[in-house]
Amino acid sequence: MNSILLLVDLTPTASISANQAISLAKYKEAKITLCYIAQTKEVSESADLKEKIKSYTSRFDENHLSYDVHIGVGDYKKEIPAYVKSTRPDLVVVGTHGAKGLRQKWFGSDIYALIKSLPATVLVISDLSAKSDQGFSKILLPVAAHDNYLLKVKQSCELLAPKGTIVLFNIIKPGAEVSDKISNNILETKEYLHDKGIAYKIENVESAKFSVGYSRETLEYAKTNNVQLISIMTRVAENSGGVSAETDKENILLNDAGIPVLCANR
């Protein structure tokens, strides 16, 4: 990991996400780029904005990080995807204000829509997230039937602490059979982690009753087992339920425990 893009909206949440981005940049010895999208050119050139941006860059300087600053102008829903596409960062870090329904504010309930528009892997930090130094010590990977599931595994390992553990989380629904694709993904993941010498364990959790989706059981496990990061695929797998699968991802992203979420995509 050589490059980290930090998206900020100059709120307290952005400061929290900046703390985690700085920690990861130090851990991976990566360059960090701060990105802010102003609504007008006048705002982008204002002394007030420069002072606010300085509150971030001064922290980069204190931590001896290599960094750039990008100030764009326009609609962030268009400007951010375009900038990510042109720069191709290894990781995007962004804060979310949670499920507050404030659609007019940056990174509120529209966080998943923003993430889907970015051709990059995204780490989502919330108001309640605690900073993890030297990577995340326990990362939860719900198993899924994605064709490129190993992408999530590899990108999760990039953020794993030196002596951290990957937890493969498999929910067994009443009356449902495990698909061949999921079985193959579990097998390939085990082989990859074994070859890399990465500690892992498999958690097979039987759902107490039939329910649509996986977010409820996933979050219950994460909250009670000191999980520091949940890793999901940005896109839903084929034949995964469409709208219900996307609702699951939003539930994970907006979890009320402050657990950061990695959305794997490339």
Side-chain angles (χ1 to χ4, degrees), residues 40-162:
T40 66
K41 184 177 180 180
E42 289 74 16
V43 171
S44 72
E45 297 174 347
S46 68
D48 180 60
L49 178 60
K50 291 179 181 179
E51 191 64 26
K52 290 178 179 178
I53 295 298
K54 186 177 179 181
S55 69
Y56 291 89
T57 59
S58 62
R59 289 151 68 185
F60 300 161
D61 288 327
E62 290 170 2
N63 286 278
H64 309 290
L65 297 177
S66 174
Y67 67 89
D68 281 330
V69 174
H70 172 75
I71 306 297
V73 179
D75 181 354
Y76 78 87
K77 294 179 182 179
K78 296 179 180 178
E79 295 300 321
I80 291 177
Y83 185 70
V84 170
K85 184 177 181 179
S86 67
T87 57
R88 294 289 176 174
D90 294 320
L91 179 69
V92 177
V93 179
V94 62
T96 176
H97 305 303
K100 298 179 180 178
L102 302 179
R103 301 180 68 87
Q104 73 275 19
K105 295 184 71 66
W106 271 41
F107 314 143
S109 57
D110 286 337
I111 185 67
Y112 184 46
L114 174 67
I115 291 169
K116 287 192 296 182
S117 72
L118 304 182
T121 290
V122 182
L123 175 63
V124 181
I125 306 295
S126 82
D127 293 332
L128 301 176
S129 297
K131 179 169 66 71
S132 294
D133 290 316
Q134 295 292 304
F136 298 90
S137 62
K138 183 182 285 188
I139 301 181
L140 187 68
L141 274 64
V143 299
H146 290 84
D147 289 334
N148 57 343
Y149 183 79
L150 268 183
L151 172 70
K152 178 172 81 170
V153 178
K154 293 175 180 178
Q155 294 182 341
S156 298
C157 290
E158 280 284 332
L159 302 185
L160 188 66

Side-chain angles (χ1 to χ4, degrees), residues 6 15 41 73 79 99 108 111 144 152 158 160 211 215 224 231 238-241 243 250 254-255:
L6 172 63
S15 183
K41 184 177 180 180
V73 179
E79 295 300 321
I111 185 67
K152 178 172 81 170
E158 280 284 332
L160 188 66
S211 61
S215 59
T224 57
S231 183
E238 293 184 8
N239 303 318
S240 61
V243 174
E250 284 199 331
L254 301 176
N255 73 84

Side-chain angles (χ1 to χ4, degrees), residues 136-141 153 156-157 160-168 189-202:
F136 298 90
S137 62
K138 183 182 285 188
I139 301 181
L140 187 68
L141 274 64
V153 178
S156 298
C157 290
L160 188 66
K163 294 183 179 180
T165 301
I166 295 289
V167 180
L168 297 177
T189 299
K190 289 169 60 179
E191 291 176 347
Y192 176 83
L193 296 175
H194 180 268
D195 289 345
K196 296 295 183 180
I198 296 172
Y200 71 90
K201 66 177 181 177
I202 299 176

